[in-house]
């Protein structure tokens, strides 16, 4: 807490007044970083016109942004690991936002990405398949294994399965 106070130019007592525990500080930092990921995801979805392209770019963006943000800094990785384990509100809200974005893409697809499911069920299926691409702990685990299947290959395979065939 002292290091945080010094970095912010506050006294330690002011930091303690705002954040009662180190976990609360970490959650606030995580919430801010997660909002950055959400912003990148929303921007990606808005760039494309077709539902499959929106889904493709969403998954690619989530994967690359998650890798860049969480995996390049051991302290941030430890923090997000704690947040996942402790089920922080910021983490739960982020997961909900990703599910929501996927469902919105499905609703725009005119049934193209549903394949007999309700939009929310289809969104959950896609979310569960996509976890390998945007869950920081799983990304880290799979990057240590050989042989690696590249994220782009996984995304192309998943989206191609979902696209309506003429």
């Amino acid at each position: 807490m002292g290091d945080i106070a010094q970095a912010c130019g506050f006294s330690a007592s002011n930091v303690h007044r705002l954040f009662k525990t180190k976990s609360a500080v970490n959650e606030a930092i995580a919430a801010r970083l997660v909002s950055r990921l959400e912003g990148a995801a929303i921007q990606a979805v808005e760039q494309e016109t077709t539902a499959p392209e929106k889904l493709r770019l969403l998954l690619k963006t989530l994967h690359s942004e998650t890798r860049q943000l969480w995996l390049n800094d051991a302290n941030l990785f430890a923090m997000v690991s704690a947040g996942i384990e402790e089920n922080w509100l910021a983490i739960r809200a982020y997961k909900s936002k990703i599910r929501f974005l996927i469902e919105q893409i499905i609703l725009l697809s005119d049934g193209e990405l549903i394949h007999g499911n309700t939009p929310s069920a289809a969104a959950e299926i896609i979310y569960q398949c996509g976890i390998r691409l945007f869950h920081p702990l799983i990304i880290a685990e799979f990057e240590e294994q050989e042989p690696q299947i590249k994220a782009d290959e996984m995304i192309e395979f998943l989206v191609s399965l979902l696209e309506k065939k003429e």
Side-chain angles (χ1 to χ4, degrees), residues 31-43:
R32 186 174 184 141
L33 293 172
V34 162
S35 72
R36 191 167 81 185
L37 286 174
E38 289 173 4
I42 291 167
Q43 185 177 18

Side-chain angles (χ1 to χ4, degrees), residues 26-153:
N26 286 339
E27 186 170 359
I29 293 168
R32 186 174 184 141
L33 293 172
V34 162
S35 72
R36 191 167 81 185
L37 286 174
E38 289 173 4
I42 291 167
Q43 185 177 18
V45 168
E46 291 174 347
Q47 287 181 24
E48 294 298 336
T49 55
T50 69
E53 286 303 315
K54 286 178 182 291
L55 181 60
R56 184 175 282 114
L57 190 54
L58 173 66
L59 294 173
K60 284 181 179 186
T61 300
L62 288 172
H63 180 73
S64 65
E65 293 290 324
T66 299
R67 285 187 77 253
Q68 182 180 357
L69 180 61
W70 301 117
L71 291 145
N72 292 330
D73 186 314
N75 291 328
L76 287 180
F77 186 77
M79 182 181 63
V80 75
S81 297
I84 292 167
E85 184 178 314
E86 295 173 17
N87 201 26
W88 290 346
L89 175 61
I91 303 297
R92 289 192 316 269
Y94 173 69
K95 291 175 182 179
S96 294
K97 183 67 167 189
I98 299 309
R99 283 180 174 96
F100 175 79
L101 287 172
I102 294 169
E103 188 169 352
Q104 294 307 301
I105 292 169
I106 289 168
L107 291 170
L108 291 173
S109 77
D110 294 327
E112 187 175 3
L113 301 175
I114 293 179
H115 295 285
N117 296 291
T118 65
S120 62
E124 186 60 27
I125 291 166
I126 294 168
Y127 176 85
Q128 292 292 330
C129 291
I131 283 176
R132 161 60 179 88
L133 298 164
F134 52 81
H135 190 292
L137 303 180
I138 297 173
I139 292 172
E141 178 183 334
F142 275 92
E143 287 195 357
E144 294 175 3
Q145 295 179 359
E146 291 289 332
Q148 293 181 355
I149 297 173
K150 303 288 184 228
D152 285 346
E153 293 174 66

Side-chain angles (χ1 to χ4, degrees), residues 16-34:
H16 278 286
R17 200 173 7 259
L18 293 170
F19 303 101
K20 302 298 180 203
T21 65
K22 182 179 175 186
S23 182
V25 171
N26 286 339
E27 186 170 359
I29 293 168
R32 186 174 184 141
L33 293 172
V34 162

